[in-house]
């Protein structure tokens, strides 16, 4: 490990993630979202925040970065991550029997102190390979 390089331990990374999710929760609530669940897990993965905005169920991925060397946080929600979130959301919908409710996927980006909500960041991957 090089001197001066910024490496984070797993516990530091989790703490940063919790901090980001708390900031995102507060921001979402200020913008009219009603939080349903945080850190929902099933056998497919985890969804950071599940909320309702009006009559829409929203599955939210939170990404936080302070350095620009890795690019904008929203860019890290690539196709593989989208598929994992889609599978997890489909499991949630089946478990909660809420398949008659409109849904969407948002990403909350926390970048250099700015919080931004990207509504409809991606669509449910209809070609999920189970």
């Amino acid at each position: 490990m090089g001197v001066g390089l910024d490496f984070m331990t797993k516990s530091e990374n989790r703490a940063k993630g919790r901090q980001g999710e708390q900031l995102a929760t507060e921001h979402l609530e200020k913008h009219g979202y009603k939080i349903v669940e945080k850190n929902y897990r099933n056998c497919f993965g985890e969804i950071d925040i599940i909320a309702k905005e009006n009559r829409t169920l929203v599955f939210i991925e939170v990404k936080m970065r302070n350095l620009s060397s890795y690019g904008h946080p929203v860019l890290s929600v690539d196709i593989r991550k989208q598929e994992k979130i889609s599978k997890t959301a489909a499991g949630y919908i089946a478990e909660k029997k809420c398949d008659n409710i409109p849904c969407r996927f948002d990403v909350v980006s926390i970048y250099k102190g700015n919080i931004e909500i990207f509504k409809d960041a991606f669509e449910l991957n209809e070609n999920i390979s189970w």
Side-chain angles (χ1 to χ4, degrees), residues 64-78:
M64 183 165 113
R65 292 217 176 115
N66 291 319
L67 302 173
S68 60
S69 57
Y70 294 108
H72 197 280
V74 77
L75 298 175
S76 66
V77 185
D78 60 14

Side-chain angles (χ1 to χ4, degrees), residues 13-53:
N13 208 20
R14 271 189 238 118
K16 180 184 170 197
R18 281 192 300 273
Q19 177 191 15
E21 288 167 10
Q22 185 57 40
L23 290 169
T25 297
E26 292 167 8
H27 189 76
L28 290 163
E29 289 175 333
K30 284 179 190 173
H31 286 85
Y33 288 69
K34 305 236 181 317
I35 306 304
V36 175
E37 283 194 52
K38 290 168 69 172
N39 303 112
Y40 169 81
R41 290 180 186 270
N42 63 23
C43 62
F44 302 111
E46 179 183 357
I47 295 177
D48 295 329
I49 300 171
I50 300 172
K52 280 196 171 179
E53 185 186 40

Side-chain angles (χ1 to χ4, degrees), residues 79 82-83 86-87 123-130:
I79 193 70
Q82 291 173 22
E83 184 170 297
S86 292
K87 284 182 182 179
E123 295 181 9
L124 177 68
N125 184 341
E126 298 291 341
N127 301 319
I128 295 173
S129 56
W130 300 93

Side-chain angles (χ1 to χ4, degrees), residues 12 81 108 113 122:
E12 289 171 329
K81 184 68 173 173
V108 172
F122 62 93

